[in-house]
Amino acid sequence: MPRYMVHRTFPDGLQIPVTEEGAAACLGVVGKNADVGVTWVHSYVSDDKQTTFCVYDGPDPEAIRRAAERTGLPVHQITKVSVLDPYFYR
Amino acid sequence: MDLLERERELELLDGWLGEAAAGQGRFVLVGGEAGVGKTTLVNRFCGMARGRARVLVGACDALSTPRPLGPLLDIAVSAGGDLDQLVSENAPRDRIFRAALSELDAGPTPTLAVIEDAHWADGATLDLLRFLGRRIGSVPALLVITYRDTEVGPQHPLRIVLGDLATSGTCRRLLVPPLSEPTVRALAAGSPIDASELYRITGGNAFYVTEVLASGTMGIPPTVRDAVLTHVARLTPAGRAALETAGVIGSTVDPWLLAAAVGPDVDAVDECLTAGLLRADGAVLAFRHELARAAVLDAVSPVRASALHRTVLEALRARVTHQNDPARLAHHAEAAAHRAAVLEYAPVAATRAAGLGAHREAAAQYARALRFATDLPDEQRQPLLTAQRLECHLTGQMEDAIAAGEALLAIARRAGDHPAEAEHQAWLAWMLVAAGRNVEAERASRAALDILAGIPPGPRHAFAFSVQAGLRMLNRDSDDAIAWGERAIALAERFGDAEVRVRAINTVGSARLVAGDEERGRAALERSLDLAREAGLEADVAAALSNLGSALGEIYQFPLAERYLTEGIAYAAERDLDRWHWYMVAWLALTRLFQGRWTEAASLAGSVIRHPGATAISRIMALVALGRVRARRGDPEVAAVLDDALALAAPTQTLQRLAPVRAARAEAAWLVGDQNRAREEARAAYDLAHRHGLRWHVGELAYWLWQTRDLVAPSPDAGGPFASQIGGDWAAAAAQWRELGCPYEAARALADGDEAAVRQALVEFDRLGARPAAAAAARRLRELGARGVPRGPRPSTRANPASLTTREVEVLALVAAGNTNAEVAARLFLSGKTVEHHVSAVLAKLGARSRREAVRTALERGLLPQTGGVQTPT
């Protein structure tokens, strides 16, 4: 399945508390993603919490957008990516 | 065998039967390898369900050319009544299909219908499965279909039907796994055979396991075939001969036929039953498994097999019953190499198959007859070839159809029959173009016209002229298409050929429409539509709706196109006219693209592309729609789909396919800043478009050449808004695009304007989610010295705290501007109900109690575009 990097922006900052509430929010995202066949692998969040880069597996860019629509998360840009591992060349 | 470890499957089936009993019909696809135990499972379930449900069972047979509707014939016999009546009198197939559907809804209890071995299904049965599958949701019935998933590859016709049905909410799947090791152990308990070895070699295949145990050998035969033959080896020579005869007869064996073929030795048949190789199944005998029959038949020498088939054939012919299926007789006749019998039965079987819509089987029966007809005189081969050409044409086996057509042409030439020669050339032309061999098609059509020029007008002229008109229309030579079409219409009316008339009127209308003569084009196509409806020519009704929709789309009349496409899609779906159906879905995807409804466009396009049965032309248009949505959003994987589109369009060499593909590729290149490639793509089709003078194709390609500085003067042929924009009048272009209902194109025109216009364009691009165009507009604003243009993502692409969809924001903006629901519906080409649905979704998401409150909240939270949508620049 192709892998995508999803660039999102949160002008007011992304607030996910490290509490049960935060955990539930994340699980909610996972569940809604699964409905449309995409998997959230993990994300990188900028220090100001205004930008995230989220790694997703999914069948096509439309599925990534469907998932975003369901979770209410913004999409700035979707890029198809593959893994480049520096130690592969040793 | 006792049914071990199938509790889970039985429980699932039982649950679905319960749902069916409650009025929510289901169909279940039971897959698994040969011998894994699908039939055993389903038989057990039927046994459990009897009393609670009416049980009807039918099986597809393993004949090289199966009996059309074989499983339904089985079911009809046990169901009796209307269905049996219709089937035995060879009623039209839609009546048979409807009778089958009402049979499922016939009793006080739900119906459990089983169709076994669907991987061998004939074309009519596949159509029946599709027909029932699409309608079973509201019928209290459970339809169970078993098939060998290992034999259904991506190109298998069953795969297409399954793919079609699998997306519906009524479909359930069940995969029957091989037996586990503990179960194999339990079965082998008390036998001297090493159970682990047995499990390892058989892989848990239920039939293989039980066959090894039943054959009573000490070692384990290395294949299931060897296991069967070990078992068979214990029979007497007479028993073995009886078993071989049974194998030749088929999957189910009528006892009288076996007796007639075997002769007086009844004990031999008993011996097979006692050994467990045959079993009594109601009034008939059957092999314990099809794998056993295949193994027995494989071991029979060709000479003996031929002799056995002849014995069976003679026995069948000696006793005439209504069950004497010509397909079965033709099968034995060919296997016995009995020429006279093949020529007697295969054409009858073909006619019957064609009548039931099993065109693939009909074509195969004609091919069978023709294999034995090589030394027949021409006048006897001719009707066979004519029928074969039609059946192959209907099933898209174009190369075979063309071969039959060429043979007919040769016959006409030998006879010096010039009118017939012309007719065959015209047919060839039509089939060659469908096969994508356009150059040869042109030659054949030309040849037909040359011959007919020297002959007084007749019905053949009407046909040949209509073919030539069709070729010209597809090639977008509109004037020629109209001229030939009108001659064809006049002759068809004179000689009373309704079909040629309907098609020629369609061709003339389509040619007029794409050439921009909207009024007369639509009128002609509407006329063709009415005539086709009156004459009951369903495919021609679908063709008229499809051509209306696609031709209006080609000239950017999307609201009208949408109307015909929506009607046509519903019409074609109801009648399973899939070829037209998918082409119209692809064009609806393009329509949604230009209407700015990209999510819908992408999902419609995706449904066409994923459907294995969609034709190349449907696929091309769907790929264009998907590629353009992705390019406009700045999403990845644009090149992949547009390369596929080009690969499919290139061999057609027609403007109709090349122009949209090249324009899409030009746009995609331009959006990623590759001006050179954009220019090359537009160039690649521009001259062709220009030669045909089609203003919309010329318009868009000229626009890309102008954007990439390759064209400075406006082209006289360029269509409406494109011409305005190339001429420098961006405001007029934007207004025209808005008039046509194309928001992205309107914004793109504004983006060429002054600072205020570019600001508006930016808002609109953001609303549509057009990232690359928005970035370009923002760049342009900064170049114009505008202040306060943010770099990077702008507000409306940011987190939308209420998570309103793009569509909901659009509806809300119109509500905010004071429109009623009905006005919103009219503006957005939606139904009133859909608008209501959007409004209540907005209210819920904003926690508002009224429309007014929703608008206030949205404005406070900055959810609406400041300008309230695109306004005319003043």
Side-chain angles (χ1 to χ4, degrees):
Chain A
M1 193 170 281
R3 177 159 286 194
Y4 299 94
M5 179 72 80
V6 185
H7 175 185
R8 310 185 193 278
T9 55
F10 299 87
D12 303 325
L14 175 67
Q15 305 298 344
I16 302 179
V18 189
T19 58
E20 281 194 12
E21 227 173 286
C26 287
L27 281 179
V29 168
V30 170
K32 286 174 181 168
N33 286 343
D35 290 347
V36 293
V38 311
T39 311
W40 172 25
V41 180
H42 57 242
S43 294
Y44 302 92
V45 185
S46 67
D47 280 352
D48 63 7
K49 295 195 164 50
Q50 292 199 0
T51 303
T52 66
F53 294 94
C54 308
V55 179
Y56 269 75
D57 287 338
D60 52 36
E62 288 73 36
I64 302 292
R65 287 191 179 275
R66 268 198 300 280
E69 188 127 309
R70 288 175 144 245
T71 51
L73 291 169
V75 173
H76 174 58
Q77 184 168 2
I78 303 173
T79 311
K80 187 162 180 252
V81 295
S82 51
V83 172
L84 175 62
D85 181 340
Y87 306 107
F88 179 80
Y89 297 94
R90 276 198 305 199
Chain B
M1 177 188 91
D2 194 27
L3 207 63
L4 294 159
E5 68 170 341
R6 298 296 190 219
E7 292 82 4
R8 186 184 144 267
E9 285 78 9
L10 288 169
E11 227 165 79
L12 283 170
L13 286 167
D14 200 49
W16 295 327
L17 182 61
E19 290 172 10
Q24 290 177 305
R26 298 274 178 256
F27 62 94
V28 186
L29 306 172
V30 180
E33 62 178 29
V36 81
K38 298 181 292 295
T39 302
T40 313
L41 170 72
V42 170
N43 280 347
R44 167 60 68 92
F45 179 62
C46 289
M48 287 165 51
R50 257 179 248 277
R52 276 184 303 147
R54 253 169 93 238
V55 179
L56 302 169
V57 183
C60 303
D61 43 36
L63 297 183
S64 57
T65 303
R67 300 170 298 159
L69 288 182
L72 191 65
L73 300 178
D74 299 344
I75 285 177
V77 170
S78 52
D82 266 4
L83 184 61
D84 193 28
Q85 177 83 22
L86 288 170
V87 167
S88 57
E89 69 195 17
N90 281 325
R93 78 169 201 164
D94 52 327
R95 285 186 58 202
I96 294 181
F97 281 15
R98 291 194 186 280
L101 185 64
S102 34
E103 196 58 52
L104 295 181
D105 194 4
T109 54
T111 304
L112 167 61
V114 180
I115 294 188
E116 288 253 49
D117 295 325
H119 49 278
W120 287 320
D122 62 284
T125 298
L126 290 173
D127 287 344
L128 176 72
L129 292 182
R130 195 196 313 256
F131 177 89
L132 294 177
R134 283 175 178 171
R135 290 159 182 84
I136 203 163
S138 53
V139 175
L142 186 67
L143 177 59
V144 177
I145 298 160
T146 70
Y147 70 104
R148 294 183 187 169
D149 57 348
T150 45
E151 290 182 20
V152 179
Q155 299 305 317
H156 195 288
L158 177 65
R159 171 74 64 195
I160 295 167
V161 177
L162 297 187
D164 218 19
L165 296 179
T167 50
S168 94
T170 52
C171 174
R172 299 290 180 269
R173 279 171 184 279
L174 200 57
L175 215 59
V176 181
L179 300 175
S180 68
E181 188 165 357
T183 305
V184 173
R185 275 184 190 288
L187 287 170
S191 131
I193 286 176
D194 176 350
S196 321
E197 236 356 57
L198 180 61
Y199 175 70
R200 193 181 60 77
I201 293 175
T202 60
N205 182 291
F207 173 72
Y208 194 173
V209 169
T210 49
E211 196 58 23
V212 171
L213 294 173
S215 66
T217 70
M218 294 301 290
I220 302 171
T223 67
V224 68
R225 184 172 169 272
D226 295 319
V228 173
L229 295 180
T230 313
H231 196 170
V232 172
R234 303 165 79 97
L235 297 176
T236 64
R240 188 179 174 130
L243 191 67
E244 286 169 356
T245 310
V248 161
I249 290 173
S251 312
T252 58
V253 181
D254 283 319
W256 71 262
L257 178 58
L258 187 55
V262 170
D265 193 355
V266 189
D267 291 346
V269 178
D270 272 352
E271 193 189 336
C272 300
L273 284 165
T274 314
L277 283 157
L278 291 181
R279 62 186 165 80
D281 184 2
V284 295
L285 303 176
F287 274 80
R288 203 165 65 74
H289 197 279
E290 192 55 32
L291 286 172
R293 190 173 83 93
V296 169
L297 275 186
D298 263 3
V300 178
S301 78
V303 180
R304 179 159 161 68
S306 177
L308 285 174
H309 276 289
R310 186 175 280 258
T311 311
V312 172
L313 177 68
E314 298 307 342
L316 275 170
R317 292 172 97 183
R319 176 168 154 168
V320 180
T321 75
H322 83 285
Q323 289 170 329
N324 255 0
D325 192 311
R328 202 169 163 194
L329 288 159
H331 164 77
H332 292 302
E334 182 173 33
H338 191 311
R339 179 167 170 278
V342 171
L343 291 173
E344 180 180 351
Y345 298 116
V348 180
T351 316
R352 185 175 288 189
L356 291 169
H359 297 292
R360 213 155 26 88
E361 282 68 30
Q365 294 288 8
Y366 285 122
R368 170 180 273 164
L370 284 161
R371 279 197 291 277
F372 287 81
T374 38
D375 53 353
L376 282 188
D378 281 351
E379 62 271 20
Q380 287 178 39
R381 283 176 65 228
Q382 192 198 331
L384 293 174
L385 285 165
T386 309
Q388 194 206 15
R389 180 179 65 183
L390 176 64
E391 296 303 328
C392 291
H393 179 68
L394 287 173
T395 46
Q397 304 174 67
M398 286 305 161
E399 297 307 322
D400 291 337
I402 291 166
E406 283 166 346
L408 284 164
L409 184 61
I411 290 176
R413 281 194 178 135
R414 274 199 292 278
D417 182 347
H418 297 305
E421 203 182 323
E423 182 181 339
H424 295 320
Q425 290 280 24
W427 254 100
L428 272 177
W430 199 232
M431 295 182 298
L432 285 163
V433 81
R437 290 159 62 176
N438 293 49
V439 178
E440 291 161 88
E442 295 289 351
R443 208 182 303 136
S445 182
R446 200 65 252 169
L449 297 177
D450 287 347
I451 297 167
L452 291 171
I455 299 172
R460 279 161 166 145
H461 288 71
F463 174 64
F465 291 177
S466 77
V467 168
Q468 175 67 4
L471 289 187
R472 302 277 56 79
M473 188 272 281
L474 291 176
N475 210 31
R476 296 296 184 254
D477 304 326
S478 302
D479 294 343
D480 291 346
I482 293 165
W484 284 112
E486 293 193 325
R487 293 175 70 184
I489 295 167
L491 288 174
E493 283 172 359
R494 190 165 137 202
F495 296 104
D497 191 331
E499 281 187 56
V500 167
R501 182 169 172 231
V502 163
R503 280 167 210 168
I505 295 175
N506 178 324
T507 303
V508 169
S510 306
R512 285 198 194 283
L513 255 190
V514 293
D517 183 352
E518 199 189 316
E519 199 177 317
R520 285 201 288 172
R522 263 183 81 194
L525 276 164
E526 291 270 8
R527 175 115 185 89
S528 172
L529 182 60
D530 290 343
L531 290 171
R533 280 213 170 99
E534 277 166 32
L537 299 169
E538 291 188 343
D540 292 288
V541 172
L545 289 167
S546 172
N547 285 6
L548 274 161
S550 59
L552 284 162
E554 226 175 88
I555 59 170
Y556 288 70
Q557 299 297 315
F558 296 112
L560 274 176
E562 176 181 1
R563 225 178 68 194
Y564 290 115
L565 292 171
T566 321
E567 184 186 344
I569 288 167
Y571 185 92
E574 173 68 18
R575 288 159 186 81
D576 301 330
L577 297 165
D578 283 15
R579 197 174 122 214
W580 301 110
H581 180 259
W582 292 112
Y583 190 62
M584 287 188 274
V585 172
W587 261 101
L588 189 60
L590 283 167
T591 301
R592 294 293 183 239
L593 163 80
F594 286 106
Q595 290 174 334
R597 294 159 66 172
W598 296 350
T599 303
E600 286 168 74
S603 101
L604 289 165
S607 71
V608 177
I609 295 162
R610 279 190 302 274
H611 194 278
T615 56
I617 58 170
S618 307
R619 219 165 266 279
I620 293 170
M621 301 330 265
L623 288 165
V624 166
L626 184 61
R628 289 192 115 157
V629 168
R630 285 183 183 170
R632 289 178 178 194
R633 281 174 164 168
D635 275 355
E637 288 170 270
V638 175
V641 292
L642 292 181
D643 286 352
D644 283 354
L646 184 60
L648 289 169
T652 70
Q653 297 186 30
T654 59
L655 180 63
Q656 189 190 5
R657 308 295 164 215
L658 287 171
V661 172
R662 290 294 183 182
R665 293 171 65 90
E667 175 176 23
W670 192 79
L671 284 171
V672 296
D674 191 340
Q675 301 244 344
N676 290 332
R677 203 156 54 76
R679 187 183 307 123
E680 279 164 32
E681 294 288 352
R683 268 270 155 239
Y686 182 73
D687 291 335
L688 183 63
H690 217 286
R691 267 205 306 283
H692 292 270
L694 295 185
R695 44 205 294 277
W696 288 98
H697 287 321
V698 173
E700 184 171 14
L701 295 165
Y703 170 80
W704 291 116
L705 291 176
W706 172 73
Q707 281 287 12
T708 54
R709 312 282 176 264
D710 195 41
L711 183 88
V712 277
S715 159
D717 286 338
F722 288 121
S724 307
Q725 204 166 346
I726 296 169
D729 193 350
W730 54 267
Q736 285 166 299
W737 282 123
R738 210 167 301 114
E739 189 77 12
L740 292 167
C742 301
Y744 180 82
E745 280 71 12
R748 200 169 59 188
L750 290 176
D752 279 341
D754 58 19
E755 187 186 320
V758 184
R759 275 192 190 278
Q760 271 195 23
L762 185 54
V763 169
E764 187 64 1
F765 285 142
D766 280 342
R767 184 185 71 80
L768 289 162
R771 193 175 50 78
R779 212 160 42 236
R780 176 126 195 281
L781 274 182
R782 283 193 296 274
E783 283 164 15
L784 290 170
R787 287 164 191 275
V789 184
R791 287 169 196 276
R794 281 159 310 285
S796 60
T797 58
R798 291 183 185 162
N800 178 337
S803 69
L804 296 182
T805 64
T806 317
R807 191 48 143 185
E808 286 160 1
V809 172
E810 206 175 8
V811 169
L812 187 56
L814 288 169
V815 169
N819 291 291
T820 64
N821 280 7
E823 285 160 351
V824 175
R827 289 278 296 266
L828 297 178
F829 313 113
L830 293 173
S831 73
K833 216 179 168 84
T834 308
V835 172
E836 260 171 51
H837 171 77
H838 284 308
V839 170
S840 51
V842 169
L843 293 185
K845 285 184 182 174
L846 296 178
R849 276 160 305 180
S850 67
R851 295 154 60 95
R852 187 184 304 226
E853 191 182 330
V855 170
R856 198 171 53 238
T857 312
L859 287 172
E860 279 166 15
R861 290 165 70 177
L863 297 175
L864 285 176
Q866 296 305 305
T867 52
V870 184
Q871 304 286 318
T872 313
T874 46

